[in-house]
Structures are given as structure tokens and as C-alpha cells.
Amino acid sequence: MTPAPTEQTPVLIVGGAVVGLSTALFLARRGIRPLLVERHPGALGHPRARVINPRTVEVFRAAGLEEEIFADRSLTSELSEKLMVRAETLAGPEIFSAPMQDEAPELTSEVTPCTWCSIDQDRLERLVARRAAELGAELRWSTELVGFEQDEDGVTATLRDTATGAETTVRTQYLIGADGVRSAVREAAGIAVEGPGTLIHTVSVVFKADLTEPLRGRDLGLGYFDRPDTGTLLMPLDGSRWVFYTPYHPERGERLEDFDEARCVEAIRAAIGVPDLAVEGLEVQVEKTGQKILGFEISAGLAERYRQGRVLLVGDAAHTMPPTGAFGAATGIQDADNLAWKLASVLHRTAGPGLLDSYEAERRPVARFTIDYALAELQERSHDEGSDGRPSYAAAILGQLYPSGALLPEAADGAESGDGTEEGTGLPPALDPRVLGRPGTRAPHVTVRCRGKELSALDLFGEAPVLLTGPDGTGWEHAAGPAAQRLGIDLDVYRIGGEFVTDPAGDWASRYGVDADGAVLVRPDGFVAWRSAGAADEPQARLEEVLAQVLDRAPHA
């Protein structure tokens, strides 16, 4: 029998990498103080994910971290302007070469106020951890989950200090598994994984070498090489330091332990194509053990469900995908953003518990699409194959459409994708004006002026739900306060084109698909929940009805 709890926390997060830390941050900024536990004594000292895409930057912008992230970015901050090269070796002839920025030319300042940021994952984790702790999250390192039991009212978990062996029992209302591809939380919850599974076992090291001659003046951002094995990757770190990845094969009897420094240097020289390349030693990467070699799996899989009672999954615990396209960490961080506002609303009792059901309904289809997209990218880059007609990269990161969930869907208006997708698959064309502003889509970026300061409309979102109205939407504006008060929730209201928020270009209404007297409800994660093209006869009653449906609240009598 599990001993009586000695601690209590509203949310227990298991896993202290970037997704778990982001979940802690997004909860803490909404007044929920979670406990995060991580079995390692600190953040892993390896770059791992190297870049975050504009949508992920938007998420951190809403959390107030954008400036700090860009201030701490790596020296490869202009990674999107560098070259992507495919060759047998770096010194050899190119099979393929193209600027990395060509991957998504649609992502301009007209579409998003944010751009790519090249920041190594270890740096990003330090920033997120510090901000989460400042906001009240408790981060407990060298602590592992031993087991848990859940009931209708919560979860009782047993934790162990990995240094002393002392055990603690914690009672929590919700348990979040952010513990990676081999998630112990997922396994204990009895949630299976579907998909191809492990694709490649990879060795990764950071090394220092002068590659001036084999680079031949090229500004390399990402190299795909066939030596010593197909799937070998090379990326710049800073100065003359590089991150190197190459596959190894357990099915052939190879083990991670077999890769000593001599073998790694040999593999690096093979990939560069310079047999006598001077490699100035390998840096210590795994702080826990002092190992210099990091091993991990490249895999593709999707959890059959994201929730089991009061246990929820985020990040690699819910889905894994190849690193091509930089989707993995980004998808997990956006999971965390989606889940955090819903969980905070439930814990604050401004939403009903059914709101949490929308997490899987919204995010799992996105993960399925993204896994397939990343697999296709891996095949194309590794084997020099052409595109299979899949959507653009911009559509993949900004064109997500939740067909159901915490929203009031609209009937399809006949818009068809021109890039191989279909209605309801999760990703319509990102820039199709017939899709922008529809419930279930990311709220469009529009430049506005708020009390004399130029902002993106996206800067209005992130805390409470937001009601946007057109310049003639005074009926909605006046109804919002009483409707929110009757439901006991916070609701921010902005009349675009009114006294305080102006629309310099005059395109807000058209971008959001409403008339001058229309209204749009935007969720704290920046997704549209509902819109009305024009005015309503009883706007307060309609708003109460909409908010109750979105938040799983019984309509007020």
C-alpha cells in the first residue's frame, strides 16, 4: 500500500528537458505552482535541438521570453541563411546544396512577427528553467519517479532522491509525463505506442577542428553525409566547434560503449573526408557521468492516447519524430502551451474538467501529421529524393487546424488545399485567406497600435481568453463584461479600430473573416475558438453560451 502523502502539489511534472520545463513555465505564469522532478542532477550539457521555428518563438514571446532567447542565442544565430549540403563527405563533391532559408519563403513579416531563432537546447532549457522558478515552479533535480496510483480525485506518486535513496510520497491533482521516448509514466499508465519505432541509433559528440579547407568557403548550416554511414550529420556550434552525429547498429552487435574517443575521431575524419584531420579532443557532454559520448534514438511513434484519467503526456512521451524540419521540440513545446492554459483553467475552476479532453483531440492529429512530414523530409534529405507534394513548411508550422476541441467549428466553406491536404486533416494551407481566422486555426498576425505602441495582434493573447471586435462591434464590447462576470471568468476585450486599439492597415476584419461589427474569441494559446461575422440580437446571451461551450461550463441559469 502506498504510504500517506508527505507533500502536496497541484501538478507533478516528470521530466526536466525543454518540454517539461516549458510546461512548468506555462503553468506557473498562470498562477499554478507545479513540482517538476528530473532524475539527472541538472540539464544535459549537449546542444541537441539547435533551432526553434517562428511558431515556437511566438509561444515564448507570449510568455515574455523572446528577448532573452534571442539575447542568448548561439553564434549560429543566422542558421536559416546557411547552406544545407548533401554529399558523401564534406570535402567531396556535392550531391545537393541549397540555402536553408528557402525551406519556407512564405514566412515573412506579413505572416508572423517572429523568425527562427538558433539557440541550442541546453541554453534554452536554462532560460526556461530560470523563468519557471522565478514564477513559483519548484524544480527538483536528482529525483526520480518510482511509481504512482491514481483515483478519481488525484494521483499519489512516490519519488526517490537518486543521491540518498530517500523516498517521498506526493499527492497531486494531475500528473504530466514529460519523460521522453521511453516514458515510464506512459508505460505505467498502460498507454501503447503506434508507428515504426526506432529508426536509427545515433552517436553524438562535440568536437573542435579547423574545417576551412574542406568547407571551401561554404557557410555550412547542416550537412548530410554517407561516410562513415548514411545518416551522418554535421552542424556548426560556435567558432571552430561542431556537433557530429553518426549512426551505430545494435543489430550488428555495435554498442554505444564501443565508441571510444579513437573511434569517434575516425568517424569524424571519414565524414569530413580528411584522413589526417586534427581533431582537438571531444568535449564532455553528459554531466551526470562525465561521458564524452551521447547516444540517442531517432524514432517515430505516436501514443495511442494522451490522457489516462489524471495522467497526461507531452512531448516525446506522446510522440517522437526524426529531427528533420526541427519539429520535435517545437511540437512538444506547443503541446505544453495547449495543455497548460486548459489545466490552469480547470484548477482555477473557471473551466470544467471536460476541457482537458480537448487536449488529445487537438494535439494528437497534429502530431500524426508532423511525424509523417518529418519522415518524408528525412527520406528526401538522406536519399536525395524529390518532394512528394506535401504541404509547404509554412503550412506545417502555422497552418494547423483543429477540427474539434475547445472551439465551435464552422461548416466548411469549400476551401480546398492546394498542397495535398484535405479539410480536417490538421494542416490546411497556412496562408489561404478562406482558412485564416477560422475556429481551430492560429489567430492571424495583424499589426495594430495599442495606446500608441505598435504591436502584433498576437501580443494581445496569452493570459485570459480575448474577445476581439471590429470598429462597429460596441454591442459585443459592452456585452463581454457582464457575460464574463456571470460565468466568473476573466475575459479581455479589444475593439480593433476603437479608441485604444487602431488598425493602421485596415485589414484586421478581412484577415479574421468578419465584418466591422463582428467578433472573434481567441484562446490563451492564440487559437481562434469562435467567431461571429456580424452583430447579434442578444450578444450577452450569445457570449455566455459560447464561453460555456468552449470552457466546458454549464450555461448560467
Side-chain angles (χ1 to χ4, degrees), residues 269-351:
R269 287 170 172 168
I272 304 304
V274 179
D276 58 351
L277 178 72
V279 178
E280 300 181 21
L282 309 177
E283 300 181 5
V284 171
Q285 294 305 320
V286 185
E287 296 173 359
K288 177 184 176 186
T289 62
Q291 289 178 289
K292 298 181 179 181
I293 314 302
L294 177 65
F296 58 92
E297 299 176 13
I298 294 176
S299 62
L302 180 62
E304 290 186 346
R305 56 189 183 279
Y306 280 18
R307 181 184 182 189
Q308 181 64 40
R310 290 176 173 267
V311 177
L312 301 114
L313 305 178
V314 294
D316 284 355
H319 48 70
T320 58
M321 59 200 71
T324 42
F327 290 112
T331 304
I333 291 165
Q334 291 168 49
D335 289 342
D337 189 41
N338 183 291
L339 177 59
W341 80 264
K342 296 173 180 177
L343 193 53
S345 298
V346 171
L347 290 169
H348 286 312
R349 300 185 183 278
T350 57

Side-chain angles (χ1 to χ4, degrees), residues 3 12 107 122 130 136 180 184 191 193 239 249 257 299 319 348 371 395 406 424 428 445 468 488 500:
L12 174 63
L107 292 178
D122 54 338
R130 184 173 68 240
I191 300 175
V193 176
H249 302 276
E257 294 79 7
S299 62
H319 48 70
H348 286 312
I371 290 167
H445 158 61
L468 303 177
F500 298 111

Side-chain angles (χ1 to χ4, degrees), residues 378-409:
L378 177 65
Q379 185 73 10
E380 179 181 336
R381 295 183 188 183
S382 300
H383 300 281
D384 193 32
E385 296 183 3
S387 171
D388 57 3
R390 61 187 175 276
S392 69
Y393 187 74
I397 65 172
L398 292 180
Q400 300 171 7
L401 171 62
Y402 300 150
S404 64
L407 54 98
L408 276 67

Side-chain angles (χ1 to χ4, degrees), residues 29-46:
R29 66 184 286 256
R30 294 184 171 97
I32 303 298
R33 296 187 172 186
L35 168 62
L36 179 147
V37 296
E38 165 57 50
R39 61 189 179 90
H40 291 112
L44 187 64
H46 188 281

Side-chain angles (χ1 to χ4, degrees), residues 3 23 34 66 167 176 199 216-217 256 306 328 342 416 439 496 534:
T23 308
E66 183 185 26
E167 293 190 352
I176 297 178
L199 304 172
R216 304 193 299 277
L256 180 63
Y306 280 18
K342 296 173 180 177
E416 296 178 357
I496 310 299

Side-chain angles (χ1 to χ4, degrees), residues 144-263:
E144 63 183 354
L145 176 72
V146 176
F148 64 86
E149 296 178 358
Q150 66 168 310
D151 52 50
E152 291 184 358
D153 300 320
V155 180
T156 302
T158 302
L159 308 178
R160 178 187 295 132
D161 185 313
T162 59
T164 67
E167 293 190 352
T168 303
T169 304
V170 175
R171 181 67 174 176
T172 182
Q173 294 185 56
Y174 291 94
L175 172 65
I176 297 178
D179 50 342
V181 60
R182 299 194 177 280
S183 169
V185 172
R186 185 188 64 228
E187 182 177 350
I191 300 175
V193 176
E194 60 185 41
T198 301
L199 304 172
I200 305 171
H201 288 85
T202 300
V203 172
S204 179
V205 296
V206 172
F207 71 96
K208 186 175 182 179
D210 182 0
L211 303 185
T212 302
E213 186 173 341
L215 281 170
R216 304 193 299 277
R218 296 171 293 179
D219 190 5
L220 183 71
L222 177 59
Y224 289 84
F225 306 116
D226 293 331
R227 296 290 182 90
D229 198 353
T230 300
T232 295
L233 304 178
L234 182 69
M235 296 183 71
L237 185 55
D238 55 59
S240 58
R241 296 197 305 154
W242 300 83
V243 187
F244 175 76
Y245 307 82
T246 195
Y248 71 97
H249 302 276
E251 72 277 8
R252 301 176 190 171
E254 293 182 335
R255 304 174 304 160
L256 180 63
E257 294 79 7
D258 296 333
F259 284 80
D260 56 15
E261 292 191 29
R263 183 166 179 178

